[in-house]
């Protein structure tokens, strides 16, 4: 048995829309906060890791070049310190297991190579293959960093599409559904109240003296916007 009156239904439908709008507003505020901080987070993490990998690559090329210069020993040592510093920076911005494994491989391969480069003659080409391998490992790390940056961008794009859908549903679809339901309920209520006015008029015409209940019903209908018909406007 349905115990909900039409007034209760109208109140319920009228309360749904603002409640959903408040929820959607909270989600939108949260989304704006996330999207607003995303560029800074990308700069502090993924972009920082990519810059560190680029710094490693630059240091390796300068080492290779510096071995043939008059101050070869000092140039190589300076670039090795810079390379190690970039490794430490990259460790602070690791975003995946693949990046961590690649970075540790670079660190392990670089240590013996750098030790050998400090004592090797500039004309010794035996270290060239190992140096090229280390440069290839750094290039692989740079590819992983680029993939991580693309993944973050794709995730932000997916979240934005989700928020667009939530906004459309919450701010457009739900309020219109509530409006349609309320319009139908109020339309039915309007029809019933008009029918009640006609019945009250019929009772009044049949009764020589309207009863107190009939008068009370007549007053209630008038307050609700259904006054007694004006005889001067009758067709």
């Amino acid at each position: 048995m349905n115990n909900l009156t039409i007034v209760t239904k109208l109140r319920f439908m009228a309360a749904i829309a603002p409640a959903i709008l408040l929820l959607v507003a909270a989600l939108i505020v949260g989304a704006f906060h996330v999207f607003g901080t995303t560029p800074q987070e990308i700069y502090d993490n993924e972009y920082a890791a990519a810059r560190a990998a680029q710094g490693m690559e630059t240091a390796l090329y300068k080492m290779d070049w510096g071995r043939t210069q008059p101050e070869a020993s000092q140039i190589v040592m300076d670039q090795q310190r810079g390379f190690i510093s970039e490794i430490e920076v990259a460790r602070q911005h690791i975003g995946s297991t693949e990046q961590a494994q690649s970075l540790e491989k670079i660190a392990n391969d670089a240590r013996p190579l750098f030790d050998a480069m400090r004592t090797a003659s500039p004309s010794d080409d035996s270290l060239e293959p190992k140096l090229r391998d280390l440069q290839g490992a750094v290039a692989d790390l740079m590819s992983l960093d680029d993939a991580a940056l693309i993944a973050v961008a794709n995730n932000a794009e997916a979240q934005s599409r989700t928020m667009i859908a939530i906004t459309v549903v919450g701010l457009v679809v739900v309020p219109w559904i509530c409006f349609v339901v309320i319009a139908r309920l109020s339309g039915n209520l309007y029809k019933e109240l008009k029918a009640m006015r006609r019945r009250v008029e019929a009772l009044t015409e049949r009764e020589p003296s309207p009863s107190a209940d009939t008068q009370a019903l007549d007053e209630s209908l008038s307050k609700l916007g259904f006054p007694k018909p004006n005889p001067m406007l009758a067709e």
Side-chain angles (χ1 to χ4, degrees):
M1 183 176 179
N2 188 3
N3 294 323
L4 295 178
T5 65
I6 192 168
V7 175
T8 303
K9 293 178 181 178
L10 287 170
R11 288 176 176 175
F12 177 74
M13 294 307 302
I16 285 180
I20 293 178
L21 291 177
L22 287 175
L23 178 61
V24 173
L27 291 174
I28 292 175
V29 170
F32 278 136
H33 174 72
V34 171
F35 295 148
T37 57
T38 295
Q40 185 63 44
E41 291 179 359
I42 291 175
Y43 182 84
D44 292 340
N45 293 291
E46 285 75 19
Y47 184 60
R51 284 185 300 166
Q54 291 172 355
M56 293 180 218
E57 183 182 49
T58 301
L60 289 176
Y61 282 116
K62 287 184 178 180
M63 278 184 227
D64 193 19
W65 165 80
R67 293 182 65 206
T68 62
Q69 302 304 308
E71 299 179 355
S73 177
Q74 185 63 43
I75 293 174
V76 170
M77 288 184 63
D78 289 343
Q79 296 306 316
Q80 287 176 355
R81 283 195 292 267
F83 187 92
I84 294 171
S85 176
E86 296 293 358
I87 287 180
E88 295 303 319
V89 172
R91 279 176 173 158
Q92 298 174 8
H93 303 285
I94 292 175
S96 67
T97 303
E98 291 80 4
Q99 286 174 295
Q101 293 174 347
S102 178
L103 188 59
E104 291 307 313
K105 181 180 184 304
I106 291 171
N108 293 332
D109 293 346
R111 190 175 295 110
L113 176 60
F114 290 170
D115 292 339
M117 289 179 69
R118 292 190 188 100
T119 58
S121 171
S123 60
D124 184 2
D125 295 333
S126 63
L127 298 179
E128 287 297 322
K130 293 183 179 179
L131 185 60
R132 298 292 176 263
D133 290 341
L134 186 58
Q135 289 173 341
V138 172
D140 292 339
L141 177 61
M142 293 173 66
S143 297
L144 291 174
D145 292 339
D146 290 341
L149 183 59
I150 292 172
V152 171
N154 290 338
N155 182 56
E157 184 178 355
Q159 289 182 346
S160 68
R161 288 195 297 266
T162 300
M163 287 309 305
I164 290 172
I166 292 175
T167 302
V168 171
V169 172
L171 300 183
V172 179
V173 176
V174 172
W176 271 103
I177 290 175
C178 293
F179 170 77
V180 170
V181 174
I182 291 174
R184 289 184 177 179
L185 291 174
S186 60
N188 294 334
L189 180 60
Y190 178 80
K191 292 177 182 178
E192 293 298 328
L193 289 173
K194 284 191 68 176
M196 290 174 62
R197 166 52 69 187
R198 289 195 297 268
R199 294 188 181 94
V200 168
E201 292 305 312
L203 287 174
T204 304
E205 292 175 357
R206 289 198 297 266
E207 295 178 357
S209 177
S211 64
D213 292 336
T214 302
Q215 292 178 351
L217 185 57
D218 179 75
E219 292 177 1
S220 297
L221 288 171
S222 298
K223 292 178 181 179
L224 291 174
F226 293 86
K228 183 182 299 186
N230 190 339
M232 298 299 295
L233 300 178
E235 297 180 357

